Amino acid sequence: MDQVATLQLESVDLQSSRNNREHHTQEMGVKRLTVRRGQLFYLRLSFSRPFQSQSDHITFVAETGPKPSELLGTRATFFLTRVRPGNVWSASDFTIDSNSLHVSLFTPANAVIGHYILKIEISQGQGHSVTYPLGTFILLFNPWSPEDDVYLPSEILLQEYVMQDYGFVYKGHERFITSWPWNYGQFEEDIIDICFEILNKSLHYLKNPAKDCSQRNDVVYVCRVMSAMINSNDDNGVLQGNWSEDYSEGVSPLEWNGSVAILRQWSARGGQPVKYGQCWVFASVMCTVMRCLGVPTRVVSNFRSAHNVDRNLTIDTYYDRNAEMLSTQKRDKIWNFHVWNECWMIRKDLPPGYNGWQVLDPTPQQTSSGLFCCGPASVKAIREGDVHLAYDTPFVYAEVNADEVIWLLRDGQAQEILAHNTSSIGKEISTKMVGSDQHQSITSSYKYPEGSPEERAVFMKASRKMLGPQRASSPFLDLLESGGLRDEPAQLQLHLARTPEWGQDLQLLLRIRRVPDSTHPQGPIGLLVRFCAQALLHGGGPRKPLWRHTVRVNLDFGKETQRPLLLPYSNYRSKLTDEKLIRVSGIAEVEETGRSMLVLKDISLEPPHLSVEVSERAEVGKALRVHVTLTNTLMVALSSCTMVLEGSGLINGQITKDLGTLVAGHTLQIQLDLYPTKAGPRQLQVLISSNEVKEIKGYKDIFVTVAGAP
């Protein structure tokens, strides 16, 4: 009988174009094979002769990470079979076509994600085997697979939370929410490599690379590592935080348009942290990375967000009798807004009922298990006050539920409580609406309606768990259970008389109404109202007063009066912080009793408006004319103006232009051509910065058609 020639591999076709399309990774390009776990992909192997299944034995080997091991789940060996054997590595459903072998490969839905090397070992009978490299592939989480822990059973939501490569961050104030466009750019060609580079720079990897890689099958683990690595507090993480408002050694957090430039800079400089980030930058970069890895992710803004270091569920704020908000040495604070992420996953490490959206917060606020990371914390657990569940649930619970106690300070001592606000923290929690540029309130996902019996019951439940043995010595809880505070002889409200515009005088209206109270049920009262205006920092702390005013009022029982107030532009012109937020505080002293009442108004100022328009239909490879228009509505010139344009699929990297000075009241008009590189929905982000205003932002949603489409 003739000896059959040895089977030799001559070529391999990884069919990247077809596989990437079927695995929703074609946006990353088709030069490399990038697939998702728990889903078949296809290869064609070409041999020196026809494959004979009876005598030719093929073993596939897939390896990832250093020191691949079957025990650790970083190495898999599997044979060619007719039928796929379930949720395990397999090569099946093969067909023979002349000298070619078409085969379907399957990766289990709980496989380790990462860069893989794929090989085959060929042997005949009992003879020696020869190993051939087939190539490399990248394996990602698969939210399309019902077997994967990140499975999201809605194509509309998958398009939004995995495939959408742009979005918005919501900033400002709960009554005046501003939307900032952001280029996530998770499918830019090098971003997937940078994502794994980040994982490979983590302290977990540096300590034990093989063990770290073996845990990358677990989305909870990967999210937690990424949460620590986006900030640089413990490691060579991506971003260095800076809340000082001095950004001379780097880029102001206000001047980033997207994540791609940040991630590329971090990688190009060998993992040196990029300067600088604040919460919305940390969260937006985290969103890019997690969407790139295949985890459904969104960016969430919590307006008036508590940072409760001592976990007593109260944040104390102090004013003096002249209505000046006082700085405090305490680490507790109320951020004007704080931005974090939610990632979608099954929580097998928790009891049933806590799957779905999980909070992850890469901003370095406090340590968790020794590292600056936060989460994943189940949104359902936060709503139900189940603060004993992992990870960092008490911290996130306090961010949205802590109570604010406002004190009047006299001679350095807290004299009286001006207000005890049970609903001022977590006032509004917003994210981008699916399929829309608008924001959507998700406050009800985090808590029951403020003041409802369910909300207070959950608060008491969480309080007892968090305060523990201190319960008996907590005057705060006693106050809460007793129903609280005294009544007041008058009601004070501050209103804006007209929409506040940056560069204009601010007009307010004080309304006072006399109401009955226990000490003064009838008769007139005299009020001395002292006002103070201060610019607020992002962390909620105040700058020095920029305006003071005093009003004296006599008010008969049952009567109402109002007084206009004017805060001139000249008072705040050079005093604003990055936030562009002014707090006007008033303390009314009742002349008959010496008691005090507080009235507050936060005013958020918008920068000038930027218009972005395109003049024709966008097509891949064809010039697209863009028109950018800016009118300087301020009373001063904008000097050293610079424009930066960014947009995945529209621009490779960034386009930067120096624009010079824009005189007050004048309009700047710029035209330029772009050459789109990818079809589908895209977003162009435009930033104009100057010495006077760092962040004038605009955007344009653009649908790009394929080249030559009718």
Side-chain angles (χ1 to χ4, degrees):
M1 186 175 174
D2 291 342
Q3 179 75 32
V4 176
T6 303
L7 186 72
Q8 296 176 334
L9 181 70
E10 294 194 336
S11 66
V12 57
D13 180 4
L14 298 178
Q15 300 190 27
S16 300
S17 183
R18 173 194 176 182
N19 287 322
N20 289 11
R21 186 175 64 253
E22 292 182 3
H23 284 248
H24 306 94
T25 62
Q26 74 275 20
E27 284 278 312
M28 295 180 185
V30 294
K31 292 177 185 171
R32 297 191 293 178
L33 178 60
T34 306
V35 293
R36 300 186 187 276
R37 61 188 195 175
Q39 185 175 336
L40 291 167
F41 64 98
Y42 307 96
L43 308 179
R44 190 184 74 202
L45 308 178
S46 296
F47 296 109
S48 53
R49 61 167 173 78
F51 172 73
Q52 297 176 2
S53 58
Q54 303 302 317
S55 56
D56 295 325
H57 303 294
I58 294 180
T59 304
F60 287 83
V61 180
E63 297 177 332
T64 187
K67 299 179 183 173
S69 146
E70 296 197 21
L71 189 65
L72 290 174
T74 49
R75 184 177 196 269
T77 57
F78 46 101
F79 307 107
L80 202 55
T81 57
R82 285 285 178 193
V83 181
R84 185 162 70 82
N87 190 34
V88 293
W89 288 88
S90 63
S92 61
D93 304 322
F94 64 88
T95 58
I96 301 164
D97 174 17
S98 184
N99 287 10
S100 294
L101 178 71
H102 298 263
V103 62
S104 305
L105 265 60
F106 182 81
T107 61
N110 59 350
V112 167
I113 64 164
H115 287 86
Y116 277 81
I117 295 169
L118 187 62
K119 302 180 279 193
I120 56 167
E121 296 171 355
I122 301 176
S123 63
Q124 285 171 278
Q126 300 301 309
H128 74 284
S129 64
V130 179
T131 301
Y132 294 90
L134 296 184
T136 61
F137 67 94
I138 299 170
L139 189 64
L140 303 176
F141 293 110
N142 192 352
W144 282 266
S145 167
E147 306 303 317
D148 200 305
D149 285 352
V150 299
Y151 176 56
L152 182 57
S154 161
E155 187 58 36
I156 292 170
L157 297 185
L158 287 164
Q159 289 301 316
E160 181 73 46
Y161 297 132
V162 179
M163 300 303 293
Q164 186 87 291
D165 63 0
Y166 60 86
F168 296 92
V169 177
Y170 298 102
K171 302 179 64 184
H173 186 267
E174 74 268 8
R175 290 196 197 89
F176 197 80
I177 295 172
T178 56
S179 60
W180 275 33
W182 193 271
N183 180 35
Y184 295 125
Q186 68 267 32
F187 301 126
E188 295 287 309
E189 217 163 300
D190 50 349
I191 296 300
I192 183 64
D193 298 311
I194 296 172
C195 291
F196 285 109
E197 192 182 338
I198 294 168
L199 289 174
N200 291 348
K201 286 266 196 321
S202 79
L203 294 180
H204 298 276
Y205 182 89
L206 296 175
K207 184 179 176 184
N208 189 333
K211 183 184 177 189
D212 173 72
C213 284
S214 76
Q215 291 177 277
R216 293 183 189 174
N217 64 324
D218 178 4
V219 64
V220 171
Y221 178 81
V222 172
C223 282
R224 202 156 160 73
V225 171
M226 274 302 182
S227 160
M229 280 302 298
I230 298 301
N231 69 72
S232 63
N233 282 39
D234 314 289
D235 41 48
N236 282 334
V238 176
L239 279 158
Q240 183 174 323
N242 184 343
W243 290 268
S244 72
E245 303 216 342
D246 175 8
Y247 311 119
S248 53
E249 293 186 11
V251 175
S252 162
L254 299 170
E255 294 185 60
W256 297 112
N257 265 347
S259 308
V260 176
I262 294 168
L263 290 165
R264 284 177 174 165
Q265 181 182 317
W266 176 83
S267 178
R269 296 183 182 177
Q272 285 300 306
V274 176
K275 299 175 180 180
Y276 293 102
Q278 288 182 10
C279 62
W280 68 91
V281 188
F282 290 115
S284 298
V285 172
M286 177 91 172
C287 184
T288 295
V289 168
M290 297 318 298
R291 284 187 185 180
C292 186
L293 294 177
V295 181
T297 304
R298 61 189 185 183
V299 174
V300 172
S301 297
N302 178 35
F303 292 91
R304 302 212 79 231
S305 185
H307 182 180
N308 188 207
V309 176
D310 54 16
R311 289 173 51 147
N312 67 351
L313 285 174
T314 54
I315 308 289
D316 296 311
T317 311
Y318 301 93
Y319 287 82
D320 68 14
R321 64 194 297 269
N322 295 315
E324 180 180 341
M325 184 184 178
L326 304 171
S327 297
T328 171
Q329 297 305 308
K330 289 188 173 183
R331 289 173 60 208
D332 280 10
K333 65 182 73 168
I334 303 172
W335 301 95
N336 302 322
F337 66 92
H338 182 54
V339 185
W340 59 65
N341 301 97
E342 287 178 2
C343 291
W344 181 273
M345 69 190 75
I346 290 170
R347 291 296 300 273
K348 290 176 178 172
D349 57 323
L350 299 183
Y354 298 98
N355 299 333
W357 290 117
Q358 314 287 320
V359 171
L360 283 132
D361 189 350
T363 299
Q365 292 191 83
Q366 70 175 33
T367 59
S368 171
S369 303
L371 295 177
F372 277 93
C373 64
C374 180
S378 162
V379 173
K380 177 76 179 298
I382 295 160
R383 188 173 195 254
E384 300 302 331
D386 294 325
V387 292
H388 59 289
L389 297 174
Y391 289 87
D392 309 304
T393 311
F395 184 76
V396 183
Y397 180 86
E399 286 185 298
V400 299
N401 283 300
D403 281 11
E404 180 185 22
V405 179
I406 302 177
W407 299 86
L408 178 65
L409 232 60
R410 293 181 203 262
D411 304 321
Q413 297 294 315
Q415 290 284 311
E416 64 180 292
I417 294 177
L418 292 169
H420 170 209
N421 297 327
T422 60
S423 61
S424 65
I425 305 286
K427 194 83 175 173
E428 165 66 30
I429 305 169
S430 286
T431 192
K432 179 183 176 297
M433 189 180 288
V434 175
S436 164
D437 288 355
Q438 303 302 308
H439 66 88
Q440 169 190 356
S441 175
I442 54 170
T443 315
S444 61
S445 302
Y446 282 82
K447 49 170 129 180
Y448 289 96
E450 290 285 4
S452 66
E454 296 92 342
E455 186 262 343
R456 285 290 99 181
V458 165
F459 189 89
M460 297 310 302
K461 168 183 165 185
S463 301
R464 292 202 173 86
K465 284 179 182 172
M466 288 171 70
L467 294 171
Q470 304 167 23
R471 163 71 190 92
S473 61
S474 170
F476 150 68
L477 268 185
D478 296 335
L479 175 71
L480 189 62
E481 290 178 309
S482 68
L485 295 160
R486 55 174 199 214
D487 50 354
E488 308 284 13
Q491 290 177 347
L492 286 81
Q493 290 180 314
L494 269 174
H495 297 279
L496 285 162
R498 70 176 191 194
T499 303
E501 287 187 49
W502 192 355
Q504 307 296 326
D505 296 344
L506 305 178
Q507 296 180 9
L508 297 105
L509 202 59
L510 171 67
R511 286 198 180 127
I512 309 175
R513 190 158 70 92
R514 173 75 171 95
V515 292
D517 70 306
S518 53
T519 54
H520 256 78
Q522 302 288 334
I525 57 168
L527 296 176
L528 181 64
V529 191
R530 298 179 178 93
F531 288 100
C532 177
Q534 294 165 275
L536 292 186
L537 294 158
H538 180 51
R543 282 269 177 90
K544 294 288 183 195
L546 53 85
W547 173 82
R548 293 187 187 276
H549 189 70
T550 304
V551 173
R552 183 173 259 103
V553 178
N554 287 309
L555 206 57
D556 285 329
F557 182 73
K559 297 291 185 186
E560 184 176 314
T561 187
Q562 54 187 40
R563 299 290 174 87
L565 304 172
L566 184 73
L567 201 170
Y569 170 58
S570 57
N571 282 65
Y572 72 81
R573 170 180 167 178
S574 59
K575 303 286 177 55
L576 290 182
T577 65
D578 287 349
E579 291 294 278
K580 314 299 182 289
L581 191 64
I582 296 173
R583 173 163 295 174
V584 179
S585 316
I587 290 184
E589 195 174 305
V590 182
E591 293 176 341
E592 287 76 7
T593 63
R595 299 274 288 278
S596 299
M597 296 176 290
L598 176 72
V599 62
L600 298 173
K601 185 69 178 176
D602 287 346
I603 303 169
S604 185
L605 295 165
E606 273 268 83
H609 178 67
L610 185 66
S611 164
V612 185
E613 296 297 334
V614 293
S615 53
E616 64 269 291
R617 195 179 78 157
E619 186 179 311
V620 170
K622 185 179 170 187
L624 176 67
R625 178 63 53 91
V626 176
H627 306 265
V628 179
T629 308
L630 172 66
T631 300
N632 181 3
T633 54
L634 273 63
M635 296 162 78
V636 295
L638 298 176
S639 58
S640 302
C641 294
T642 306
M643 180 174 71
V644 180
L645 291 89
E646 190 168 326
S648 287
L650 297 171
I651 298 168
N652 184 16
Q654 295 177 324
I655 295 173
T656 304
K657 286 179 83 76
D658 290 326
L659 305 176
T661 297
L662 179 56
V663 177
H666 284 222
T667 296
L668 190 68
Q669 291 186 313
I670 304 140
Q671 294 185 14
L672 71 165
D673 288 341
L674 305 180
Y675 293 85
T677 57
K678 289 182 180 179
R682 305 289 161 199
Q683 187 187 79
L684 176 66
Q685 296 92 15
V686 181
L687 164 77
I688 294 181
S689 60
S690 66
N691 292 336
E692 292 71 24
V693 187
K694 290 296 176 205
E695 73 302 356
I696 302 171
K697 295 206 172 198
Y699 74 95
K700 182 68 178 176
D701 290 336
I702 299 169
F703 189 86
V704 182
T705 61
V706 295

